[in-house]
Amino acid sequence: MNASCAGRCGKGGHFLAVLLGVAGLGAAVPPARAADWYALSPDEFAREPAAAARIDPADLHRGLLEAAIFHETNRVRRRLGLPAFTHVAKLDDAADLKATVGVIETQLSHENPVPLTELPADRVRAVGLDYARVSENIARLSAYDLPAGTDALGVREHDGHTEYYRLDTGRPVEMQTYANFAAMLVTAWMNSPPHRANIVNPQLVSLGCATRACHSLIGHHAQVYAVQVFFTPRRGK
């Protein structure tokens, strides 16, 4: 949903520093090509072998998944005749200030309890960006490769480990690929009017993304918490 850009003041620099530190500590080391992913077109990225790899929740390549979400979003923009978002790395940091907290929350919310990071605009300001417009999308979705509209999983013990399976077929489920998860996520946002409005807003020009592996509160199913931060700089910045 669209973020409020109301300013906040008060103490809380120490808490912000701690949160920024935690955000960095949890990051999995991405594959070596990560630095070049944002220089690719959406079609070029889709041909990358890494994009077809399956997600491992225990070793999530966050940089890869975030690039996949970025490119899938630009694929949608291109299809609609809109200019592509530019990538701003600091927006990834702003998004991660939400994702780091979001994985432990029981409800999806654009507010943070940590001082100086309460609202999307506060988080953008916290990473040093001066904005004219800020918006944010968030989601928490299953990491399993399931047909659209299917989310019921069974659980059983198999060869000494826990195995999740589809209730309709009884077959074990695999994890989504990075590219397929990004496509599923962006489709879900496009089917939600407030989230779609951010993605298709021509007045928003830059995008950053963050992801964190997490689990459902019931069943402990593997999920991914994802955040998009949309941004337009203040004129002259």
Side-chain angles (χ1 to χ4, degrees):
M1 297 177 68
N2 286 342
S4 167
C5 291
R8 295 296 180 91
C9 59
K11 299 180 180 179
H14 172 72
F15 294 100
L16 176 58
V18 170
L19 181 57
L20 286 167
V22 170
L25 287 173
V29 177
R33 190 180 168 83
D36 300 328
W37 283 331
Y38 293 100
L40 302 177
S41 71
D43 291 340
E44 289 170 334
F45 179 83
R47 292 192 290 269
E48 287 285 298
R54 292 197 180 274
I55 290 172
D56 178 357
D59 186 24
L60 179 67
H61 287 306
R62 295 174 50 217
L64 174 59
L65 187 53
E66 289 153 13
I69 295 167
F70 176 86
H71 284 298
E72 183 62 27
T73 305
N74 270 343
R75 188 189 310 281
V76 170
R77 294 267 289 195
R78 181 182 64 187
R79 187 169 66 239
L80 297 175
L82 296 167
F85 287 118
T86 59
H87 176 245
V88 176
K90 284 187 176 182
L91 292 177
D92 297 339
D93 297 334
D96 200 43
L97 288 174
K98 177 63 224 177
T100 304
V101 174
V103 294
I104 61 174
E105 296 177 319
T106 59
Q107 295 181 338
L108 291 175
S109 170
H110 291 282
E111 295 187 7
N112 266 359
V114 181
L116 302 183
T117 72
E118 288 96 334
L119 297 174
D122 299 322
R123 296 189 279 276
V124 167
R125 188 183 301 110
V127 300
L129 294 175
D130 192 8
Y131 61 86
R133 294 176 180 273
V134 175
S135 289
E136 181 182 81
N137 284 347
I138 58 177
R140 185 173 187 149
L141 296 180
S142 172
Y144 294 100
D145 189 0
L146 294 168
T150 302
D151 57 8
L153 293 174
V155 59
R156 61 195 175 197
E157 293 298 315
H158 180 73
D159 291 338
H161 67 274
T162 300
E163 178 182 81
Y164 293 98
Y165 65 95
R166 286 177 53 175
L167 293 178
D168 57 346
T169 66
R171 300 183 62 179
V173 291
E174 292 187 286
M175 293 293 165
Q176 293 267 19
T177 67
Y178 284 84
N180 286 349
F181 180 88
M184 176 187 70
L185 174 66
V186 174
T187 296
W189 276 328
M190 287 295 288
N191 288 335
S192 168
H195 299 87
R196 176 189 174 92
N198 290 333
I199 291 173
V200 304
N201 187 343
Q203 295 180 310
L204 294 166
V205 301
S206 299
L207 173 64
C209 304
T211 57
R212 291 275 174 173
C214 56
H215 292 88
S216 62
L217 298 177
I218 300 175
H220 208 61
H221 300 153
Q223 295 181 322
V224 173
Y225 192 100
V227 182
Q228 288 184 310
V229 175
F230 306 88
F231 168 83
T232 300
R234 190 177 299 279
R235 184 171 300 179
K237 296 294 184 179

